[in-house]
Amino acid sequence: MIKLFKSWRKKANAPEAMATDLDNIPKHVAIIMDGNGRWARKLGLPRIVGHRNGMKAVKRATMAADELGISVLTLYAFSTENWKRPKEEVDYLMSLPQEFLALELEELIEKNVQVRMMGHTDELPSHTFAAMEEAMERTKQNTGLILNFALNYGSHREITETVRGIAEKVKTGDLSPEDITEQLLGSSLLSGDLPDPDLLIRTGGELRLSNFMLWQTAYSELWFTDLYWPEFGRAQLVEAVAEYQRRTRRYGGLS
């Protein structure tokens, strides 16, 4: 398995043809945006400079996804575990949605992009949530790319709270145990009205899911790259999609 992961990582950095089959574009691409701080450290810069440049990569990835015809782009922006970071860094990360949307919302509206947020809103600063609410409200009628920010998101908490909610319905008699199916649980998750990711990308060289969409990515194709997130652009997204198109998705079957 480790050899397989390494081969994927090698492919992610290989200078190879990046043609894509427009009839086989993944509907939903999810990205773990990793490596902002390490990119900054490599250049002798403060970590927050890495996060600011990571914001620029968000725009590049969004525009590229829209051009390729991807339907949903989910970006892991802040995890439930990221609160453990130094307060100065957390405060800066919480300012980025407001800064990004102030700069880019008008263009997102022009491009017919619909902004969504998937996460636990109770701990978010009011200015962070207000920026997201405004973006979601102003783009809710858009019918193009869904740009879904996973903000204060953690899959363990998501699944736990979903199961708790289902258990409450069983307790009140609104559901019976026999009603609990994979379909019910999946549709009750925070991403319940979205298709599961076809392709999961992780930058920064790490080979793990980091508590991200654990239920939803059960059959996602995985693509890893050593490039740090601020270095990610259209060429890397096209390359990841091209690799996705070279694979055969069997879902446990033989063909």
Side-chain angles (χ1 to χ4, degrees), residues 20-33:
T20 54
D21 176 4
L22 296 181
D23 294 325
N24 186 25
I25 298 293
K27 292 181 180 178
H28 186 172
V29 174
I31 304 180
I32 300 174
M33 305 180 293

Side-chain angles (χ1 to χ4, degrees), residues 83 90-91 93-99 101 117 120-136 151-152:
W83 296 105
V90 169
D91 289 346
L93 288 168
M94 286 294 110
S95 74
L96 284 179
Q98 188 175 15
E99 183 177 352
L101 293 167
M117 192 195 103
H120 311 286
T121 62
D122 44 339
E123 294 101 343
L124 293 177
S126 58
H127 62 84
T128 306
F129 186 53
M132 294 302 306
E133 273 195 312
E134 178 188 357
M136 290 187 287
L151 187 60
N152 194 29

Side-chain angles (χ1 to χ4, degrees), residues 4-207:
L4 183 58
F5 279 151
K6 287 181 177 178
S7 73
W8 289 345
R9 180 159 33 166
K10 183 177 180 181
K11 287 178 182 178
N13 295 306
E16 56 187 62
M18 295 184 293
T20 54
D21 176 4
L22 296 181
D23 294 325
N24 186 25
I25 298 293
K27 292 181 180 178
H28 186 172
V29 174
I31 304 180
I32 300 174
M33 305 180 293
D34 194 18
N36 290 342
R38 283 174 288 155
W39 175 84
R41 185 170 66 240
K42 180 178 72 171
L43 298 177
L45 300 170
R47 286 177 60 85
I48 61 173
V49 176
H51 294 309
R52 184 170 181 80
N53 280 272
M55 186 176 71
K56 297 176 183 178
V58 167
K59 180 176 182 180
R60 292 196 299 269
T62 302
M63 295 300 105
D66 185 46
E67 291 169 9
L68 287 170
I70 291 166
S71 299
V72 184
L73 179 66
T74 294
L75 302 177
Y76 202 8
F78 191 90
S79 78
T80 50
E81 290 73 43
N82 286 155
W83 296 105
K84 300 172 186 175
R85 295 185 178 189
K87 184 178 185 303
E88 179 184 7
E89 182 173 349
V90 169
D91 289 346
Y92 185 76
L93 288 168
M94 286 294 110
S95 74
L96 284 179
Q98 188 175 15
E99 183 177 352
F100 174 77
L101 293 167
L103 291 170
E104 309 298 348
L105 183 56
E106 295 303 325
E107 185 172 355
L108 293 174
I109 292 171
E110 182 183 329
K111 295 283 189 181
N112 197 29
V113 173
Q114 182 184 131
V115 177
R116 294 198 192 182
M117 192 195 103
M118 177 180 76
H120 311 286
T121 62
D122 44 339
E123 294 101 343
L124 293 177
S126 58
H127 62 84
T128 306
F129 186 53
M132 294 302 306
E133 273 195 312
E134 178 188 357
M136 290 187 287
E137 177 63 26
R138 292 184 62 190
T139 63
K140 65 181 181 181
Q141 301 300 328
N142 289 356
T143 57
L145 171 72
I146 294 174
L147 177 58
N148 183 38
F149 290 99
L151 187 60
N152 194 29
Y153 172 86
S155 191
H156 284 179
R157 178 173 171 181
E158 174 190 34
I159 294 170
T160 299
E161 292 187 359
T162 298
V163 171
R164 186 181 295 125
I166 292 173
E168 286 293 334
K169 291 182 179 180
V170 171
K171 184 178 178 180
T172 60
D174 294 322
L175 283 175
S176 70
E178 292 75 22
D179 294 326
I180 302 172
T181 62
E182 290 185 21
Q183 290 72 26
L184 175 66
L185 202 156
S187 65
S188 301
L189 296 171
L190 294 173
S191 63
D193 64 336
L194 298 175
D196 288 342
D198 300 295
L199 173 63
L200 173 70
I201 296 169
R202 180 165 188 156
T203 62
E206 303 293 352
L207 305 176

